[in-house]
Amino acid sequence: MTTTPLADRTTAVAARATDLSKIYGQGETQVVALDRVSVDFRQAEFTAIMGPSGSGKSTLMHCVAGLDTFSSGSVRIGDTELGSLKDKQLTKLRRDKIGFIFQAFNLLPTLTALENITLPMDIAGRKADKQWLDSVIRMVGLADRLGHRPSQLSGGQQQRVAVARALASRPEIIFGDEPTGNLDSRSGAEVLGFLRNSVRELGQTVVMVTHDPVAAAYADRVVFLADGRIVDEVYGPTADSVLDRMKQFDAKGRTS
Ligand SMILES: Nc1ncnc2c1ncn2[C@@H]1O[C@H](COP(=O)(O)OP(=O)(O)O)[C@@H](O)[C@H]1O
Ligand SMILES: [Mg+2]
């Protein structure tokens, strides 16, 4: 495992999993999807989570984002322990502190781009910070598309709306599960660029599940999962270094 001087990193933790386990089923059909995972996601850091299919990437993301329950261990978003929350409080925390970007853009077809972007805040009865909203819309290049409905936008533009929607409420942390999985490589690169800019320029924290080394190279750090455990971590990834790591895991898997 690559060691990084964690003690040198004084940045605050946006989310933390400690000894997090998630077990599906019982007895012979039991699947250990997460096996005592401990990981920090620091503020203003862009983390990619990678690993073979079935290694627990989505489960880790869903558990840390409060979308799924876990079997043991703990999860913290900011200073809040998720395990201590009742359902209603968890819903509120998800709404107020977490942004989501999914592979499917999940926009409402009858609403305009702008209405989609502000929808979560409208539901929560919160007013958008106009200046912040303007800078988010400018960053994702949607200023002249705000009155369009999703059907009038390209896939890349729709995902930019979803990125803006996730950023609009200034959440503590944004989670994406294969956010560029449905995009062509050029639109994908744009969306990844916006996510990276939101980290660099706006101090946003982003955690993204991906299987694509090129997408992972936009992150500050890549966490590798295998069989529900963290098996490696790389800072300052490039597409080549990520690909190399993935090959090493494959080779290990064959020889051991
Ligand atoms: N609802 C479920 N019921 C039973 N097993 C599940 C369920 N969801 C996921 N799993 C299992 O947990 C493991 C991790 O799944 P997942 O987190 O989706 O992996 P990944 O996102 O890395 O492909 C896999 O073995 C998968 O089959
Ligand atoms: Mg998955």
Side-chain angles (χ1 to χ4, degrees):
M1 184 138 166
T2 311
T3 47
T4 308
L6 290 180
D8 289 349
R9 300 180 153 259
T10 49
T11 328
V13 170
R16 166 176 287 167
T18 308
D19 284 333
L20 184 66
S21 291
K22 170 79 178 179
I23 297 164
Y24 289 108
Q26 285 177 351
E28 283 179 14
T29 59
Q30 178 173 300
V31 175
V32 181
L34 293 177
D35 188 3
R36 287 161 294 161
V37 169
S38 294
V39 62
D40 280 358
F41 301 109
R42 281 173 292 275
Q43 272 174 16
E45 190 169 67
F46 186 176
T47 303
I49 298 175
M50 299 195 81
S53 179
S55 58
K57 303 182 295 294
S58 296
T59 305
L60 176 61
M61 198 198 98
H62 291 155
C63 288
V64 176
L67 291 170
D68 202 353
T69 57
F70 39 92
S71 308
S72 61
S74 65
V75 173
R76 215 179 87 181
I77 297 285
D79 296 327
T80 309
E81 289 284 344
L82 296 195
S84 70
L85 300 181
K86 301 197 172 64
D87 278 357
K88 237 181 165 169
Q89 295 171 308
L90 188 60
T91 304
K92 186 173 180 323
L93 175 129
R94 268 201 310 264
R95 195 185 65 198
D96 294 344
K97 300 212 163 163
I98 303 179
F100 294 100
I101 307 167
F102 296 101
Q103 191 169 341
F105 318 131
N106 291 338
L107 304 180
L108 287 188
T110 56
L111 300 185
T112 65
L114 181 61
E115 287 164 347
N116 267 288
I117 291 168
T118 58
L119 181 65
M121 279 180 296
D122 293 340
I123 291 174
R126 280 169 59 192
K127 264 229 151 328
D129 173 340
K130 180 86 174 61
Q131 236 181 337
W132 172 260
L133 194 59
D134 283 348
S135 58
V136 166
I137 288 167
R138 217 175 314 120
M139 190 189 77
V140 297
L142 284 169
D144 57 348
R145 291 285 186 282
L146 292 177
H148 289 54
R149 291 182 208 290
S151 62
Q152 300 170 308
L153 299 171
S154 70
Q157 287 169 336
Q158 289 182 58
Q159 194 64 315
R160 287 197 245 158
V161 173
V163 169
R165 178 181 58 189
L167 282 165
S169 64
R170 290 191 103 147
E172 184 97 22
I173 186 164
I174 290 179
F175 292 98
D177 198 348
E178 301 275 1
T180 54
N182 277 339
L183 300 178
D184 61 64
S185 58
R186 196 174 134 245
S187 307
E190 272 176 15
V191 165
L192 290 162
F194 293 131
L195 283 176
R196 186 170 59 191
N197 284 350
S198 78
V199 172
R200 300 265 160 86
E201 293 168 22
L202 310 175
Q204 184 59 57
T205 307
V206 177
V207 178
M208 167 182 78
V209 169
T210 182
H211 67 270
D212 177 6
V214 175
Y218 282 81
D220 300 310
R221 163 206 191 203
V222 181
V223 169
F224 292 93
L225 279 182
D227 296 328
R229 295 183 190 179
I230 292 181
V231 291
D232 206 354
E233 199 177 359
V234 170
Y235 281 83
T238 64
D240 284 341
S241 71
V242 170
L243 202 56
D244 263 6
R245 287 278 160 175
M246 290 164 75
K247 282 184 193 152
Q248 283 175 29
F249 296 141
D250 285 352
K252 267 188 217 155
R254 275 197 300 274
T255 52
S256 61

